[in-house]
């Protein structure tokens, strides 16, 4: 029998099995689909190598994108200081934040199935999100597109 003495105080009631058992009723119906989906994701993560796998993949994806930005000679620039950059959300601007080129970039990106690249409405520019669900092939597609766009639009 589980005493509950080892449970964390921050544990949500819905996941506190001791509280559920003591109440002799379910405080709420657990989100079964979410629990199932998370279980599948954790099994998959374990199979591919766990946190070290995701860490290595995340680093490779962000290095590829930041290197493409850097190699553009200023056509693309990242407004975030190098020591503070994220491996997950990579913002960048085009040609000094040229709004016409940014719009053209976003419109042409959609034609090659690159979506949701618009930067935050208060900042503008472009933002590529490299969450775990984004495969390396997706980042490669983006960087290939960026190189082609650069070749077509540089002054």
């Amino acid at each position: 029998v589980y005493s509950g003495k080892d449970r964390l105080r921050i544990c949500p009631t819905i996941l506190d099995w001791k509280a559920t058992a003591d109440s002799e009723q379910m405080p709420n119906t657990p989100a079964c689909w979410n629990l199932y989906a998370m279980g599948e994701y954790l099994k998959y993560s374990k199979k591919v190598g766990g946190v070290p796998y995701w860490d290595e993949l995340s680093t490779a994806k962000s290095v590829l994108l930041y290197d493409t930005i850097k190699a553009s000679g200023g056509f693309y620039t990242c407004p975030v200081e190098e020591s503070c950059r994220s491996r997950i959300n990579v913002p960048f601007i085009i040609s000094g934040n040229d709004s016409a080129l940014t719009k053209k970039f976003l419109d042409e990106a959609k034609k090659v199935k690159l979506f949701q690249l618009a930067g935050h409405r208060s900042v503008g520019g472009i933002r590529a999100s490299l969450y775990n669900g984004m495969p390396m092939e997706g980042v490669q597609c983006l960087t290939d597109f960026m190189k082609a766009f650069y070749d077509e639009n540089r002054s």
Side-chain angles (χ1 to χ4, degrees), residues 22-142:
D22 289 349
S23 72
E24 296 182 9
Q25 62 182 5
M26 293 200 66
N28 286 306
T29 303
C32 297
W33 173 252
N34 298 349
L35 295 172
Y36 169 77
M38 187 59 156
E40 292 299 304
Y41 173 76
L42 291 171
K43 282 190 268 186
Y44 173 74
S45 286
K46 186 176 180 180
K47 185 173 103 180
V48 297
V51 172
Y53 168 81
W54 294 117
D55 180 55
E56 184 179 312
L57 183 60
S58 180
T59 298
K61 292 186 299 187
S62 63
V63 164
L64 176 61
L65 184 50
Y66 282 121
D67 283 354
T68 301
I69 293 168
K70 192 173 186 175
S72 74
F75 183 77
Y76 300 113
T77 55
C78 180
V80 179
E81 186 180 322
E82 200 163 334
S83 65
C84 299
R85 291 180 179 172
S86 169
R87 293 185 306 164
I88 304 301
N89 288 305
V90 179
F92 60 95
I93 57 175
I94 302 172
S95 197
N97 213 11
D98 182 310
S99 60
L101 266 180
T102 300
K103 182 180 180 339
K104 183 178 179 183
F105 180 96
L106 293 170
D107 290 344
E108 290 185 16
K110 289 175 186 171
K111 294 175 186 173
V112 293
K113 300 185 190 290
L114 294 169
F115 302 102
Q116 301 298 319
L117 291 169
H120 190 276
R121 66 183 170 272
S122 68
V123 179
I126 311 292
R127 185 182 83 169
S129 293
L130 310 178
Y131 294 98
N132 288 350
M134 171 58 69
M136 186 61 150
E137 296 81 9
V139 181
Q140 187 64 59
C141 181
L142 173 60

